[in-house]
Amino acid sequence: METWSEVAHVQPLASKIIINSMKKDRISHAYLLQGERGTGKRAIATLIAKGLFCEKNEIADPCLECNTCKRIASGNHPDVHWIEPDDKSIKIEQIRNLQKEFTYSGMESDQKVYIIDGAETLTVNAANRILKFLEEPNKKTTAIMLTENSQAILPTIRSRCQVIDLRPLHPGEFQQQLIEKGLDQRSAILISAMTNNLQEAIDKSHDESFATARRIVIQLVEILLTNPQDVYLFIHQHWVTHFKERNEQEEGLDLLLFAIKDILYYQIEHEAGMVFFAPSDELLKKAAMYFSQEKLLASLQAVLQAKRKLKQNVHPTLVIEQLTLQMQR
């Protein structure tokens, strides 16, 4: 999303509030944009910054063509500062460095913007430090905080920001966006169940590693169906060697969860809820005939337990071994 008209299609209320503020020259000194991943937080923050700095001083939409707009888009504008989690949290040193930057005059104007992405990850010390920053706002400083978890934001920080709630994306609308970007319908349905971030979804659709992950899950279901005695060998030859990183392991379990759910949905004739298999898939039909609902429900619970164990740092190979053993019974 590069224009307010595009944002308005997805977040009509948020775009209306911000555009009206800009037209009346009443931009808040601090915003808190809260919403699920993919709801447009970064795009909106970038548009606010462009609106404040655009060389053509476009109110409704920045021009996107001037040197300033281009540098903000690429993250290279000296007066627009992005703060993101260092590892898993935003630390006090990052906020100290930000505050030090703001003691200097703007490089190209007297306006400065800082954007804190993942504001819910601020450590306690960092949150208290940013609170002090918000309590003494400079007239030409705009803070924009982005969060997926508003409950993790200190109430004292929330009270000093204009809070803008972003509505969740409608799955059908998001799938249509993906189809318009060239994805086939089945891929759009599956990928939209995994992420509601447009660029991430498009990248995933072109990722050979994701395509391989999908095939491995299909093969695992097939082996459980036809040769369950070979499942242990299969996971060591294919699953463990492909899903190496933590995010890949979690993605593999998510895909397996979708596959099992689809088999259950097919049994109860709820095809509208299916995301992994096409309703006409022969493997799906065979699996629905083979596995009992009791077995499928137990398998779903086993996958969810495996996801919890991964988060508890249990060794991933042990996690998948235990999972397949439970599904094999």
Side-chain angles (χ1 to χ4, degrees), residues 239-251:
W239 187 287
V240 173
T241 57
H242 181 75
F243 300 110
K244 295 178 181 178
E245 301 299 325
R246 176 57 56 85
N247 64 313
E248 295 172 342
Q249 294 153 5
E250 291 177 350
E251 182 173 85

Side-chain angles (χ1 to χ4, degrees), residues 2 50 54-56 58 61-71:
E2 293 189 335
K50 287 179 180 177
C54 179
E55 293 170 17
K56 294 187 179 180
E58 300 286 351
D61 269 323
C63 73
L64 307 180
E65 298 297 328
C66 69
N67 190 42
T68 299
C69 282
K70 289 178 179 178
R71 282 190 297 163

Side-chain angles (χ1 to χ4, degrees), residues 29-30 83 90-92 94-96 98-99 102 114-116 119 122-137 143-145 153-154 156-158 160-161:
H29 77 281
I83 304 295
I90 296 173
K91 300 175 175 60
I92 191 169
Q94 293 173 271
I95 304 303
R96 283 199 188 108
L98 176 69
Q99 289 175 307
F102 275 66
Y114 65 94
I115 303 165
I116 300 181
L122 284 159
T123 63
V124 173
N125 288 336
N128 287 328
R129 190 96 182 187
I130 205 70
L131 176 62
K132 200 168 185 182
F133 212 19
L134 292 171
E135 285 174 336
E136 303 168 1
I144 308 172
M145 306 181 72
I153 304 295
L154 288 176
T156 44
I157 288 180
R158 288 176 58 86
R160 286 161 176 78
C161 298

